[in-house]
Amino acid sequence: MASVRQESPQGGEWITTTGGQLSVPDNPVIGFIEGDGVGPDIWKASEPVFEAAVRLAYKSTRSLSWWEIPAGEKSYRQHGHYLPDSSFEMIERAGVVIKGPLTTPIGGGFRSLNVTLRQKLDLYACVRPVKYIKGTPAPVIRPEDVDMVIFRENTEDVYAGIEWKSGSEDALKLIRMLKETMGVSLDAKSGVGLKPMSPDASKRLVRRAINHALEKKRKRVTLVHKGNIMKFTEGAFRDWGYELAREEFADKVILEPELADKYDGIIPEGKVLLNDRIADSMFQQVLLRPREYEVLALPNLNGDYLSDALAAQVGGLGMAPGANMSDTCALFEATHGSAPKYAGLDKVNPGSMLLSGAMMFEYMGWNDAADLIVRGISAAIQDKTVTYDLARLMPGATEVSCSGFGAAVIEKMQSFTS
């Protein structure tokens, strides 16, 4: 991949990370990637909301300096590369980036642009807060009971992409090797994949989940796995999670047996309960007993499934924020796809991007701006001023465009601060 020369942003200052602590100036440089398909539409609707939230929350004391980072189809049209090497450098330099959805090019040499970003930047934690926004149509009776944060491991599991096509020379070679050296017989026509999971990657994900629970005063962290069947991968994820808790959080974490024996079923102040659940059971638990779960830590594939299923409980991916994070870099993004058939129609719901922006501001410590965005979205929805996806589920709703919804959110935010 080639590099693309990009001018440094004017007027802003860099966000820095020292010893794991984020330092955010009053006029930070924030990287952005418009994205593909509907990406430009939702960015055009969202960027004015972000600007308004900062202006209304902090008057003239804080501002944003946007820095566009080449990626996806726009980058290919302008520079001949979907992901130039310089884009990775820019993301690392900015430290905080917000992006729209990216479409993986057909035959373009990438398994996935999003997965490539996560792997090359070691964005090992996919963080997905799932919380109901009042007024949103939802398929469950009590969507307000859902208030969870998912920490999904991003770099290993089947998403590592270590697999070989059915009938290929490499697949046949591996099938022969397994039979000759380990006595494992597979159908010779099988496609074959490997599922690597390591102690270090599992532990750093669980560490981040426990730290989040302690910082945000959440009471429960649940390891979700399929260790009853995959004992040396998913079962090991569970074991490494408990091992990490004993090694680094012995004075902060209690386990389920202790809760009843030592604490009469009540989690003491300043402590976190660490437990685990089998993945298939967990899908029932989040429907039937969502109030019992707050922070979930999962391997990659299970985390992918469960985060989308939880988003459906609170209204769908259009209302679901997310971020992919390393220890020094955070990439906030709309969690839905690029929906190319709606590209340029100014039609889709920008809620996921807006809420990811609120999540970004919270990460930066700009909580007043984050709160304004969430309140503005909720007020617009309760007023039944919504995009087509929600309007069709809300009798009496006023259907507005993508940019129209952004304008409605700004109007509501202004009413809170006037």
Side-chain angles (χ1 to χ4, degrees):
M1 289 182 286
S3 290
V4 175
R5 190 169 182 270
Q6 289 292 113
E7 296 297 328
S8 295
Q10 299 296 315
E13 298 180 44
W14 298 111
I15 294 172
T16 58
T17 303
T18 306
Q21 295 298 311
L22 199 69
S23 178
V24 181
D26 288 336
N27 57 337
V29 174
I30 306 294
F32 77 94
I33 297 169
E34 278 191 351
D36 300 327
V38 298
D41 287 347
I42 61 174
W43 175 250
K44 288 174 186 174
S46 300
E47 190 266 345
V49 176
F50 302 151
E51 292 281 355
V54 172
R55 183 177 64 255
L56 293 167
Y58 307 111
K59 309 306 179 190
S60 59
T61 63
R62 292 181 178 175
S63 61
L64 302 169
S65 180
W66 299 108
W67 191 28
E68 185 166 11
I69 297 172
E73 293 170 350
K74 183 176 180 180
S75 175
Y76 187 80
R77 290 194 302 270
Q78 293 181 346
H79 310 296
H81 302 280
Y82 289 101
L83 274 176
D85 286 336
S86 52
S87 295
F88 297 100
E89 298 165 6
M90 292 169 70
I91 292 170
E92 290 178 316
R93 185 68 184 94
V96 173
V97 176
I98 187 162
K99 65 176 280 293
L102 292 173
T103 300
T104 295
I106 297 173
F110 292 93
R111 291 177 56 84
S112 161
L113 296 181
N114 289 314
V115 170
T116 301
L117 284 167
R118 293 168 194 169
Q119 291 180 342
K120 286 197 65 123
L121 294 166
D122 196 30
L123 303 173
Y124 66 86
C126 178
V127 184
R128 295 274 297 271
V130 186
K131 185 176 182 178
Y132 180 64
I133 301 293
K134 189 175 180 180
T136 307
V140 296
I141 296 173
R142 293 187 300 275
E144 65 276 5
D145 288 354
V146 177
D147 185 3
M148 302 180 210
V149 182
I150 288 183
F151 285 78
R152 166 191 168 197
E153 204 289 318
N154 247 350
T155 65
E156 296 191 316
D157 201 351
V158 292
Y159 278 66
I162 306 172
E163 58 178 3
W164 295 271
K165 185 178 178 180
S166 167
S168 67
E169 183 179 341
D170 287 337
L172 293 170
K173 186 187 302 182
L174 182 58
I175 290 168
R176 284 195 300 270
M177 185 273 289
L178 287 171
K179 182 173 180 61
E180 292 169 2
T181 63
M182 298 182 184
V184 176
S185 295
L186 298 177
D187 187 314
K189 295 180 181 178
S190 297
V192 184
L194 296 182
K195 178 186 174 78
M197 295 176 69
S198 69
D200 288 349
S202 299
K203 286 183 177 181
R204 68 179 178 176
L205 188 279
V206 175
R207 179 185 299 113
R208 192 167 196 129
I210 293 174
N211 275 327
H212 175 86
L214 291 168
E215 290 167 8
K216 301 297 182 182
K217 301 190 184 308
R218 297 265 185 158
K219 290 290 189 179
R220 298 173 179 84
V221 176
T222 303
L223 308 173
V224 184
H225 59 91
K226 191 62 179 168
N228 57 327
I229 302 299
M230 291 170 278
K231 300 181 185 302
F232 304 123
T233 50
E234 306 235 354
F237 175 86
R238 168 195 180 274
D239 295 343
W240 291 324
Y242 283 123
E243 188 177 293
L244 179 278
R246 290 192 297 270
E247 292 169 345
E248 299 183 17
F249 298 96
D251 60 335
K252 298 290 185 182
V253 168
I254 59 176
L255 307 182
E256 236 166 11
E258 298 176 286
L259 186 64
D261 295 343
K262 296 182 180 180
Y263 301 103
D264 296 323
I266 299 173
I267 303 170
E269 196 65 32
K271 301 279 190 180
V272 169
L273 171 69
L274 180 66
N275 57 15
D276 72 277
R277 297 289 183 267
I278 300 298
D280 45 338
S281 170
M282 194 64 193
F283 276 88
Q284 288 195 69
Q285 295 287 302
V286 297
L287 280 167
L288 301 175
R289 304 164 73 173
R291 287 189 175 185
E292 296 180 16
Y293 300 95
E294 297 177 71
V295 178
L296 311 180
L298 309 92
N300 207 327
L301 184 60
N302 288 333
D304 193 2
Y305 293 154
L306 194 60
S307 57
D308 282 9
L310 274 170
Q313 288 182 225
V314 298
L317 287 177
M319 301 300 297
N324 294 286
M325 299 180 175
S326 71
D327 291 330
T328 59
C329 185
L331 189 62
F332 299 86
E333 63 182 355
T335 56
H336 53 73
S338 60
K341 74 175 182 177
Y342 294 117
L345 300 183
D346 192 24
K347 184 177 178 71
V348 299
N349 184 352
S352 180
M353 177 74 97
L354 292 173
L355 289 169
S356 294
M359 184 183 177
M360 177 184 74
F361 285 133
E362 185 178 353
Y363 174 78
M364 292 163 54
W366 292 18
N367 294 324
D368 290 340
D371 182 60
L372 267 179
I373 293 172
V374 175
R375 290 174 63 201
I377 292 171
S378 182
I381 292 174
Q382 289 179 70
D383 200 34
K384 295 190 174 183
T385 303
V386 293
T387 48
Y388 81 99
D389 56 315
L390 299 183
R392 61 191 176 188
L393 302 173
M394 300 171 69
T398 299
E399 182 177 327
V400 294
S401 64
C402 178
S403 58
F405 184 75
V409 173
I410 293 173
E411 182 180 336
K412 295 299 183 184
M413 293 194 303
Q414 289 170 336
S415 71
F416 302 143
T417 56
S418 58

